[in-house]
Amino acid sequence: MNLIKKIWVPVTIAAILVAFAVAIFYNNKIRPDKEIDNEIGYKPEEYITLGQYKGLEYEKQKPGVSDEDLQAAIDEELVDYKTVNRAAKEGDSVTIDFEGYVDGKADADLTDTEYDIVIGDEDLVPEFDKVLVGKKAGEQVEVEVDDVSSFPIEDAEKYSGKKVKFTVKVTEVAEEYTAELTDAWVKENYSEEGYNTVDEYKKMMREYLLDDSKDAVEENTQTDLWNKVLDNCQMNGYPQDVYNEIVEVDEADAAYWAEYWGMSKDEYYEFIGMDKDGIEQMYLDDVKSELVMWAIAKKENITVSKSDIAQGYEDMYEEYDYDSVEAMKEDYTEEEIKHALVEQKVIELVVDNAKIREVASKEAEEKK
C-alpha cells in the first residue's frame, strides 16, 4: 500500500518561489512588448489598470528568537515515545501491520506493515483507534470499516460505499514521555552532527530558529508588498482562458490538501472556512494576481531566457528532493518554470524598489 506521506510537497510551482528567491539572478532583458502579448495570448493592460507598485512603504519586522521561542522548540524536541509492555491506551503510539479485504479478497492498496498510529488522532479511520485500545504487542484483531474513502491513499474514493474487513496486528506499543535535556541526550541525538553538549545544542537551535525567522520575515515582506500592489491595481475584466486555468490549478491544490488531510474537497473547503462565495473570490483574486504580474512584466520589459530556465531547474531540483534535473522535468514543464521565474522577478522588482524600514518585533506587533 502506498500511503501518502505527511510531508509538504509543492503542488503549484508558485508555492516554491520564496524558498529559492535569493538564488535567482535578477536579469532583465528588453524585447518588444508584443512578444509578451503573443506569449500569453492577450494584452494585460486591457484588463488591468496598474497603480503604484514602486516606492511602496513597508515596515519589516526584525528577525529574532526569544528565549521563550527557543525553550518551546527544545521542549517539543524532547517529546518522544518509548516502548512499554502493557495494553495500549489513548495517546499511545502503536505500530501495526494490517491487511484489508474487499469482497473477501485481500487488497494490496489497503495493506501495510510497520505503520505507526497515535490512538486518538484517527490517522487512518476511527474504527482502528477503537479496536487498538486495550491491545498488547503480538495481539491481532479484526475490524470492519464501512467507509475508507478518507484513507490516505490515491483514489481512495473508489472504495466509497464498500465495507472493508481488516486484520490488524499490534507489533509495538509506545507511550509519550519528555526526555531531560542533558549532555548525554545531546550526544545520543546530535553527535553525528557535531554537537555533544547542552550549550552546543542550544546555540545550534537558536541559529536554526533565527534562519527560520529570517525566512519568515522575507516571505511576509514579499506577500505583504504584493498584496499592496494588488490593492493599488484595478481589474476591469479577464480572459476566460486565464480564469479557467486558475480554477484548474486552485482545484488541484484543494484536491491535494483534501487528500493529505483525509477529507473530501468540500470538507477541506469547510475546514479552512471557505464557502461557495469565498471560493469564487479566491479564483478572482488569483486571476487578478496573474494579470497584474504580466502587466508589470510587460511594462518593465521583464523576460526569461533559456539559460534562466536551465538555471531555475538547477536551483530547484535538490531543494525539493528530486534526484536530478531530469526527474524534476517530469513534473514541471519549462513553461511552468518560466512562469515562476517571471513572477519572482516581478516580486523582486517590487521589493527592491520599496521603502522598507525594519522595526523591532514588539513595535511591529503593536502596529498590526
Side-chain angles (χ1 to χ4, degrees), residues 66 69 121 164 199 215 279 295 299 302 312 320 330:
S66 68
D69 292 336
D121 285 359
V164 181
D199 287 343
D215 290 343
I279 296 170
K299 186 173 182 179
I302 294 174
Y320 292 93
E330 293 179 7

Side-chain angles (χ1 to χ4, degrees), residues 323-341:
D323 294 331
S324 63
V325 167
E326 289 68 28
M328 188 172 189
K329 286 182 177 180
E330 293 179 7
D331 288 342
Y332 295 112
T333 66
E334 288 191 1
E335 281 304 310
E336 288 174 309
I337 300 297
K338 185 174 185 178
H339 184 283
L341 296 176

Side-chain angles (χ1 to χ4, degrees), residues 225-240:
L225 282 171
W226 185 246
N227 285 334
K228 282 177 177 283
V229 171
L230 295 180
D231 289 341
N232 291 340
C233 297
Q234 178 67 42
M235 184 168 70
N236 312 306
Y238 51 82
Q240 189 62 42

Side-chain angles (χ1 to χ4, degrees), residues 78-147:
L78 292 174
V79 174
D80 203 349
Y81 288 89
K82 61 181 178 182
T83 303
V84 292
N85 185 23
R86 60 164 173 76
K89 61 182 181 180
E90 187 162 341
D92 286 342
S93 175
V94 180
T95 304
I96 58 175
D97 298 338
F98 60 88
E99 186 171 27
Y101 294 82
V102 180
D103 298 327
K105 296 181 180 179
D107 191 315
D109 288 337
L110 297 174
T111 299
D112 203 3
T113 60
E114 296 298 299
Y115 187 89
D116 294 325
I117 180 172
V118 176
I119 299 178
D121 285 359
E122 298 184 2
D123 291 334
L124 295 173
V125 289
E127 290 86 348
F128 273 37
D129 288 31
K130 293 174 183 177
V131 298
L132 290 174
V133 173
K135 299 299 182 292
K136 295 182 178 180
E139 293 187 333
Q140 183 169 299
V141 63
E142 291 187 352
V143 57
E144 190 170 76
V145 178
D146 292 330
D147 182 13

Side-chain angles (χ1 to χ4, degrees), residues 148-212:
V148 295
S149 60
S150 63
F151 239 63
I153 57 174
E154 294 181 6
D155 301 324
E157 295 82 4
K158 68 184 179 182
Y159 298 103
S160 182
K162 294 185 178 182
K163 290 187 177 182
V164 181
K165 180 179 287 187
F166 287 93
T167 58
V168 184
K169 182 179 180 180
V170 177
T171 61
E172 182 181 67
V173 177
E175 66 180 5
E176 184 180 297
Y177 78 103
T178 301
E180 182 182 356
L181 181 58
T182 62
D183 288 350
W185 183 88
V186 175
K187 286 181 181 179
E188 181 181 354
N189 292 277
Y190 285 95
S191 60
E192 291 185 3
E193 287 80 12
Y195 308 107
N196 295 288
T197 69
V198 170
D199 287 343
E200 291 172 348
Y201 167 75
K202 285 185 175 181
K203 181 181 179 181
M204 177 272 294
M205 285 293 291
R206 187 178 290 277
E207 291 173 351
Y208 174 83
L209 293 173
L210 182 58
D211 286 341
D212 271 359

